[in-house]
Amino acid sequence: MAKTIDLNADMGEGFGPWKMGNDAALLDVVSSANIACGFHAGDADTMAQTMQVALEKGVGIGAHPGFADLQGFGRRRIALSDAELAHMVTYQLGAAAAMARSVGGEVRHLKLHGALANMASESESMARVCYEAALKVQPDIILMVLTATAMEAVAKDLGCAWAGEIFADRAYNDDATLVTRGTPGAVITDPDVAAVRIVAMLEAGGIIAQSGKVIPCQIDTICLHGDGESAVPMARGLRAKLELSGYNIRAF
């Protein structure tokens, strides 16, 4: 059987006249798109345009909810009650689902963004609140989880569809959480380094932490952040390396 893997990228993160990343170019490379829902980034027009292009290019559409933190790009931790968390996810997934239908598509997966995702990867109770809220809106949605973390444990317990995600451009701690941004080596910008590293993880069947520790896990999808200058060359380089290594790129 041929080896397959999904490539995903966060996108639709511009706001009005302010552009973030090169979504059109990324959509020629990835097989799944995580589209901002207006809280940490994005707006109605950007969401619709990004979803329309994704649909035209056969790329899977995902909702990418985050904290209501435009200035901090959703990367600042915010303490919310369970009800506030649930309503925040419900609101954003509802907007994404409606917008996808308006352009003739559908939301097939959900991926938490930024600080919200990092916090949920550390807390099963927080992950559960977010995921139960999403499943109430769309019971068949696929949850894109940070593999080998609290997110995966909750998704398994809920008995729902899920896909395990690793990052091409981020370093890992020994507990499968991401090395904090700002720490030396936390963000990987060299496409060749990222590509070699990801192929090694796939062949090892697990995350390779910054320390060299291998953390066995299920890997269904690889994320490339879409907001940096290196995003497009990173995506192209990684896809080329994966295909040379015998992998077919296909939505999970």
Side-chain angles (χ1 to χ4, degrees):
M1 182 179 293
K3 299 180 288 187
T4 63
I5 194 70
D6 176 65
L7 286 182
N8 78 80
D10 306 339
M11 58 184 68
E13 293 179 320
F15 188 80
W18 290 276
K19 302 302 178 185
M20 178 75 77
N22 187 344
D23 291 351
L26 279 174
L27 285 166
D28 283 328
V29 180
V30 301
S31 44
S32 293
N34 319 306
I35 299 172
C37 304
F39 272 38
H40 77 276
D43 55 48
D45 293 332
T46 301
M47 190 187 300
Q49 291 160 7
T50 308
M51 288 181 173
Q52 180 67 62
V53 177
L55 184 65
E56 291 169 358
K57 296 188 177 184
V59 174
I61 295 172
H64 195 35
F67 284 130
D69 178 26
L70 285 174
Q71 186 173 359
F73 197 59
R75 289 178 176 160
R76 297 184 290 197
R77 295 190 174 216
I78 299 174
L80 298 176
S81 68
D82 287 355
E84 288 171 320
L85 275 174
H87 295 156
M88 183 181 72
V89 171
T90 300
Y91 187 99
Q92 293 180 77
L93 175 54
M99 194 64 75
R101 291 191 194 105
S102 78
V103 299
E106 62 178 356
V107 169
R108 64 187 302 273
H109 72 273
L110 176 135
K111 173 185 169 179
L112 302 179
H113 168 80
L116 177 62
N118 290 335
M119 292 169 73
S121 74
E122 300 161 5
S123 167
E124 288 193 18
S125 62
M126 187 171 178
R128 185 175 297 276
V129 169
C130 293
Y131 290 160
E132 286 182 342
L135 292 166
K136 285 180 181 178
V137 176
Q138 189 173 328
D140 63 346
I141 200 164
I142 303 168
L143 302 178
M144 189 183 289
V145 307
L146 295 180
T147 194
T149 70
M151 287 178 167
E152 179 181 328
V154 170
K156 286 180 174 178
D157 186 61
L158 290 171
C160 60
W162 62 277
E165 177 189 44
I166 62 172
F167 287 85
D169 50 8
R170 293 295 306 278
Y172 282 89
N173 297 307
D174 283 357
D175 63 355
T177 60
L178 298 175
V179 174
T180 304
R181 286 178 180 272
T183 304
V187 179
I188 299 160
T189 57
D190 186 318
D192 292 332
V193 171
V196 170
R197 174 174 172 268
I198 286 299
V199 171
M201 289 190 193
L202 291 172
E203 297 305 315
I207 291 167
I208 301 176
Q210 201 172 43
S211 68
K213 176 182 177 181
V214 177
I215 307 164
C217 62
Q218 178 175 316
I219 304 172
D220 301 300
T221 183
I222 301 164
C223 177
L224 296 139
H225 286 94
D227 56 296
E229 292 182 3
S230 62
V232 174
M234 176 81 74
R236 289 172 176 159
L238 179 58
R239 178 161 185 151
K241 178 70 173 179
L242 286 167
E243 290 176 337
L244 282 172
S245 299
Y247 288 87
N248 294 322
I249 308 305
R250 188 172 65 197
F252 51 79

